[in-house]
C-alpha cells in the first residue's frame, strides 16, 4: 500500500529509509525493462569491487530514452525528496544497476561520503532505487543499516560491528528511498538470475551533481524535456544566484521562466 507523505517521513526519521509501493504504474516498469534490455546487452561489467565485476551499470539514462524521464520526475517521489532536501534539488545520477549471478556484496558506504562535509550535516543527498525485478535477499536486494543515519562516529560503529543489516526486499514496481548518510550496499546475488534496478539519486542544488548532467545531456536533448525536468537536471539557479549564466537563470536559455 502507498504510504502517506507523513508516514514516509516518519519511517525515514526512524530508520533512514522507506519502501514506497503503488507510487508508479506497473506498465512503466515494463517499458523501463524493454528500454534497458539492449543497453544491458551492450554493456560491460564493472571495473572494480565497488562497481561490481559481475554488475552492469548504465548511466546518463536521460540521454538514452524518453521513458527514463518518468523516473527522474515522478511527482510522488519528488514530493518526498523535496520534503527531505527542500525545494532546490537536482538530479545527481540516474543509473541502471544489474547485479549478475555470483556477484558479491558491494561494500557498505554512504552516498553523501563523496562530499567532504563535517558530521553531522543537514541532508544533502537523497537516493531511490526502482525495483525492475523483485528484490530479494538472495538476488542482491539493497542492504541497509537501519538507524545508521544517526550515527555520530560511523567508522567506529562499523569497526565494533554492533549493527544489523537488513535486505530491502520488495516486489517489482516498488521504490526504495533512503537518506544519503544511511549506510547501505548492493547485496550479493546467490541466485541464477540477474537483479535489475534503477538508482535515481538527488542532491541539494548547491553541491555538485555526481554525474555531470551538463555534459551527459546535450542541450537539444534537454530542450525536449518538460520544464520541471529541465530545472532538475541543472538548468536552474539555487537562490539567490548559484548556477547563473551571465547573471540570468539558465532556464531562460531554454525559452522558459
Ligand atoms: O545496487 C544496489 O542495490 C545499491 C547500489 C549502491 O549503493 C551504489 O552503487 O552506490
Amino acid at each position: 500500500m502507498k504510504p502517506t507523505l507523513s508516514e514516509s517521513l516518519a519511517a525515514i526519521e526512524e530508520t533512514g529509509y522507506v519502501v514506497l509501493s503503488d507510487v508508479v504504474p506497473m506498465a512503466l516498469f515494463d517499458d523501463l525493462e524493454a528500454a534497458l534490455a539492449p543497453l544491458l546487452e551492450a554493456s560491460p561489467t564493472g571495473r572494480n569491487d565497488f562497481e561490481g565485476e559481475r554488475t552492469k551499470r548504465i548511466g546518463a539514462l536521460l540521454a538514452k530514452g524518453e521513458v527514463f524521464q518518468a523516473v527522474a520526475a515522478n511527482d510522488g517521489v519528488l514530493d518526498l525528496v523535496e520534503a527531505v532536501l527542500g525545494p532546490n534539488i537536482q538530479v545527481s545520477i540516474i543509473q541502471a544497476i544489474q547485479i549478475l549471478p555470483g556477484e558479491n556484496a558491494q561494500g557498505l558506504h554512504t552516498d553523501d561520503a563523496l562530499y567532504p562535509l563535517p558530521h553531522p550535516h543537514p541532508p544533502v543527498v537523497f537516493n531511490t532505487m526502482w525495483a525492475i525485478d523483485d528484490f530479494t535477499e538472495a538476488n542482491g536486494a539493497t542492504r541497509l543499516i537501519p538507524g545508521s543515519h544517526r550515527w555520530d562516529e560511523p567508522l567506529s560503529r562499523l569497526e565494533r560491528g554492533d549493527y544489523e543489516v537488513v535486505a530491502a526486499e520488495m516486489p517489482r514496481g516498488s521504490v526504495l528511498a533512503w537518506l544519503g548518510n544511511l549506510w547501505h550496499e548492493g547485496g550479493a546475488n546467490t541466485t541464477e538470475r540477474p537483479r535489475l534496478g534503477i538508482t535515481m539519486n538527488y542532491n541539494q542544488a548547491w553541491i555538485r551533481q555526481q554525474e555531470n548532467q551538463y555534459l551527459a545531456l546535450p542541450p537539444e536533448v534537454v530542450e525536449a524535456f518538460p520544464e520541471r525536468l529541465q530545472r532538475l537536471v541543472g538548468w536552474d539557479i539555487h537562490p539567490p544566484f548559484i548556477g547563473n549564466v551571465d547573471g540570468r537563470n539558465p532556464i531562460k536559455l531554454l525559452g522558459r521562466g
Side-chain angles (χ1 to χ4, degrees), residues 50 57 97 99 106 109 111 129 142 184 186 195:
F50 189 80
R57 291 172 183 261
I97 303 181
I99 300 183
Q106 183 186 21
H109 62 279
D111 291 324
M129 174 63 80
T142 313
H184 69 280
R195 184 229 75 179

Side-chain angles (χ1 to χ4, degrees), residues 69 73 222-231 256:
Q69 296 179 21
V222 179
E223 263 166 19
F225 288 172
E227 182 173 344
R228 189 169 197 198
L229 185 58
Q230 292 173 333
R231 292 181 184 271
R256 312 267 198 188

Side-chain angles (χ1 to χ4, degrees), residues 203 219 226:
N203 61 272

Side-chain angles (χ1 to χ4, degrees), residues 213-214 217-237 243 245 248-257:
Q213 301 297 336
Y214 306 103
L217 306 174
E220 59 274 18
V221 169
V222 179
E223 263 166 19
F225 288 172
E227 182 173 344
R228 189 169 197 198
L229 185 58
Q230 292 173 333
R231 292 181 184 271
L232 280 170
V233 295
W235 291 64
D236 199 359
I237 54 161
V245 176
R248 302 176 78 211
N249 187 323
I251 198 70
K252 294 194 180 354
L253 299 174
L254 297 168
R256 312 267 198 188

Side-chain angles (χ1 to χ4, degrees), residues 3-116:
T4 64
L5 183 58
S6 56
E7 285 168 345
S8 296
L9 290 171
I12 288 169
E13 192 176 336
E14 168 76 16
T15 62
Y17 70 96
V18 65
V19 175
L20 308 174
S21 320
D22 300 330
V23 285
V24 184
M26 196 55 93
L28 176 61
F29 285 81
D30 299 338
D31 296 344
L32 291 170
E33 187 171 22
L36 285 172
L39 300 173
L40 288 164
E41 188 69 37
S43 165
T45 50
R47 295 159 292 189
N48 50 49
D49 279 350
F50 189 80
E51 288 181 354
E53 288 174 3
R54 272 157 292 188
T55 295
K56 292 187 174 183
R57 291 172 183 261
I58 301 167
L61 286 180
L62 291 169
K64 295 180 180 167
E66 199 177 329
V67 65
F68 301 111
Q69 296 179 21
V71 177
N74 176 280
D75 287 335
V77 175
L78 287 175
D79 284 348
L80 180 59
V81 182
E82 289 186 351
V84 173
L85 294 183
N88 300 112
I89 55 168
Q90 292 181 328
V91 165
S92 180
I93 180 168
I94 170 169
Q95 185 182 66
I97 303 181
Q98 187 184 48
I99 300 183
L100 301 173
E103 180 61 282
N104 303 313
Q106 183 186 21
L108 291 161
H109 62 279
T110 60
D111 291 324
D112 69 4
L114 299 173
Y115 302 100

